[in-house]
Amino acid sequence: MPFIRTCVHKDTPAAQRQSIVDGIHQALVDSIGMPADELFNLVTDYDAQQFFYSRTFNGVARSDGVVVIDITLRRGRSDAMKRALYASVAQNLEKNAGIAPSDVFIFMHENDYSDWSVGGGKFAMAIVQQVGI
């Protein structure tokens, strides 16, 4: 179960936020085989006084509308799967949310079942994994 934190500029309209969430989610389903019912994405705002970044780092031109995507998930995806995920997220956000690929920042954090409790205060390793309905 990936947990996503997405940070968008405070002026991002609600419909565009939804398109961003949908694009990230579909990329996870398509690229790493995540079950479609595993949607957990916390969207937060930033303004110019809260997020300072290089407009030109690594030769990429960035606008005022950078989208920061922080993905935490269980360890085990190959580098090829991650490359496909990053490309799919950027493509989906450009196509469906009007976000330039140069404005998409993605960070991946991997951990193990022992690092999760996903309900009821129970240790995730003790929970039988079931595909949702």
Side-chain angles (χ1 to χ4, degrees), residues 3 8 11 14 17-18 26 30 33 36 38 51 57 71 79 82 87 93-94 98 101 107 109-110 117 131-132:
F3 183 83
V8 298
D11 295 333
R17 290 171 191 245
Q18 185 64 58
Q26 193 60 53
D30 294 343
E38 291 188 13
F51 183 33
F57 173 73
I71 303 171
D79 286 350
K82 292 175 190 176
L93 269 54
E94 181 178 34
F107 300 93
H109 307 277
E110 295 180 304
S117 175
V131 176

Side-chain angles (χ1 to χ4, degrees), residues 6 8-24 43 65 67 92-94 96-100 103:
T6 303
V8 298
H9 190 275
K10 68 177 181 148
D11 295 333
T12 305
Q16 188 178 31
R17 290 171 191 245
Q18 185 64 58
S19 293
I20 290 167
V21 168
D22 293 344
I24 295 166
V43 179
V67 176
N92 289 353
L93 269 54
E94 181 178 34
N96 301 322
I99 304 297
D103 282 337

Side-chain angles (χ1 to χ4, degrees), residues 59-114:
V60 177
R62 293 175 187 82
S63 76
D64 291 335
V66 170
V67 176
V68 180
I69 304 162
D70 191 0
I71 303 171
T72 302
L73 74 168
R74 232 178 351 96
R75 192 175 323 283
R77 278 53 177 214
S78 68
D79 286 350
M81 291 173 86
K82 292 175 190 176
R83 272 191 220 88
L85 172 62
Y86 303 153
S88 184
V89 168
Q91 181 181 33
N92 289 353
L93 269 54
E94 181 178 34
K95 180 180 175 187
N96 301 322
I99 304 297
S102 58
D103 282 337
V104 178
F105 243 61
I106 304 171
F107 300 93
M108 179 82 69
H109 307 277
E110 295 180 304
N111 55 31
D112 296 308
Y113 275 121
S114 61

